Amino acid sequence: MNKKFIFITLCVLLSGCMDIGKRASVSATQSSGSESQQSEHALSQHWIGRYSLYVKPEAIMDDASNIGVGYGFEIRDSIVSFVADGFQTYFECECSLQEGQDQLILFYKKTTECATPVPFQNVGDTVAFITCEQGKYYMQSPVVPDAEWAYNKKFLLEKTSLDTSGEPDDDSIPKITYWHENFEYGNEDDCLDRWVSAIDEAEFSAALTNYKNMQIDSTVQLSVTKEGYVVPLENGNSRILFDNYEQSDGRCIYQYKGYLAQINCYVFEYEGFEWEGLAYIPEADGKECLFQTEALFSPDHKNCYCIDATTESGDERIGVIKVFQISPVRIEFMFGLWSDKIFPQTVCWQDNTTLYMKALREEDGADQTHYYKISLDQVR
């Protein structure tokens, strides 16, 4: 797995925290971080992992133990972000890095989000040093203080494996929920942005031309009674789909589209009180799975996904990809990824675990077309 990150958590006393930029002096030997000086070779894999650090201030009141700041570094090959999140403090920066002998040096590149000032003045300012000494990892930083507000102190880091999800079952995607129905838009760790990588238009067009989705057979008929459609189930019973035209949460109107023989599933157009799309109802259990767009199935029919590109209240656009797994008895939700920057327009499978996507991305106040791939077997 190539996508990894390092996470360092530090909790410190925030007396004078808003002056962190003034306290963090950077020496001349630490401030060289131009792009031309960054390492061009692949990052040594031993840096990939999760690291943690906790500092408890010595003089702190029991009822103020939550007065602290967490600092996080995420390193994925040569892509690094630095986050400070705590009491009256929040900013996120993108960093560049330079690898030396048993040492990583992280440099400030740009601010991606902030609610409070960042402690950097110029591109190339030093963010942190991470060293490896006899199999142990240490950090020093001109912007991360210890409990006594001293900077560039050496902290021992605890390293753990990044992948704690376990091995996937068979050849399927790991059953990990990054986005789920009760927490619709997840958090910054769930963002679609972190899983995409750029491709060109020609590569996307070739995949789109080759991809063939399962076709709904509209010749398979269902019985219709005055109550509604009769959906036969494998156990010999049936499910009746009742239309409800009331303007309430119970509103549901069905229109039969056909049958998917490859997965033994009936497909209906569906309209609810505040939602419409497609309902997929397997013969095995009759439990409907609601999609906002047509499900696009992987070539081996084990996985499927649907995408939503919606406009929420306040004209906030949200791009969503939801991933489902096909089993002999049900369509099971696995995980979802979301973005407030990337809005999928056309998506197809390149292979059984890789999605190709044409999407819009807002740049300088206007939508620009980009082409991406998402390797779902890299999502952890």
Side-chain angles (χ1 to χ4, degrees), residues 8 113 123 141 182 283 303 311:
I8 302 171
E113 187 176 355
V123 173
S141 173
N182 296 324
E283 276 186 313
N303 303 308
T311 301

Side-chain angles (χ1 to χ4, degrees), residues 7-12 68-72 82-87 89 91:
F7 182 72
I8 302 171
T9 302
L10 172 64
C11 190
V12 296
V69 180
Y71 296 92
F82 171 50
V83 179
D85 187 6
F87 181 71
T89 303
F91 60 83

Side-chain angles (χ1 to χ4, degrees), residues 26-47:
V26 180
S27 68
T29 59
Q30 296 173 343
S31 61
S32 59
S34 67
E35 291 298 324
S36 63
Q37 293 173 308
Q38 305 313 303
S39 173
E40 296 181 356
H41 63 76
L43 183 66
S44 298
Q45 291 301 294
H46 76 88
W47 296 112

Side-chain angles (χ1 to χ4, degrees), residues 25 45 47 87 93 107 127 129 218 244 269 271 328 338:
S25 61
Q45 291 301 294
W47 296 112
F87 181 71
C93 303
F107 303 99
V127 175
F129 293 83
S218 60
N244 182 355
E269 291 182 352
E271 179 184 338
W338 71 281

Side-chain angles (χ1 to χ4, degrees), residues 237-278:
N237 297 326
S238 59
R239 176 183 174 184
I240 307 297
L241 298 182
F242 297 92
D243 287 341
N244 182 355
Y245 292 90
E246 295 179 3
Q247 295 299 315
S248 67
D249 290 345
R251 177 182 173 88
C252 54
I253 302 171
Y254 297 93
Q255 181 64 47
Y256 180 59
K257 288 181 63 67
Y259 184 71
L260 285 172
Q262 297 94 326
I263 61 170
N264 301 320
C265 182
Y266 296 94
V267 183
F268 294 81
E269 291 182 352
Y270 174 86
E271 179 184 338
F273 180 53
E274 294 182 334
W275 191 91
E276 63 182 23
L278 296 174

Side-chain angles (χ1 to χ4, degrees), residues 119-158:
F120 308 108
Q121 300 298 322
N122 303 297
V123 173
D125 284 353
T126 300
V127 175
F129 293 83
I130 299 176
T131 58
C132 180
E133 302 174 21
Q134 296 181 344
K136 294 184 178 181
Y137 293 84
Y138 299 85
M139 183 197 71
Q140 293 174 267
S141 173
V143 298
V144 177
D146 68 1
E148 302 298 326
W149 282 106
Y151 293 84
N152 288 309
K153 293 297 183 179
K154 193 172 185 178
F155 297 103
L156 174 65
L157 304 175
E158 181 182 352

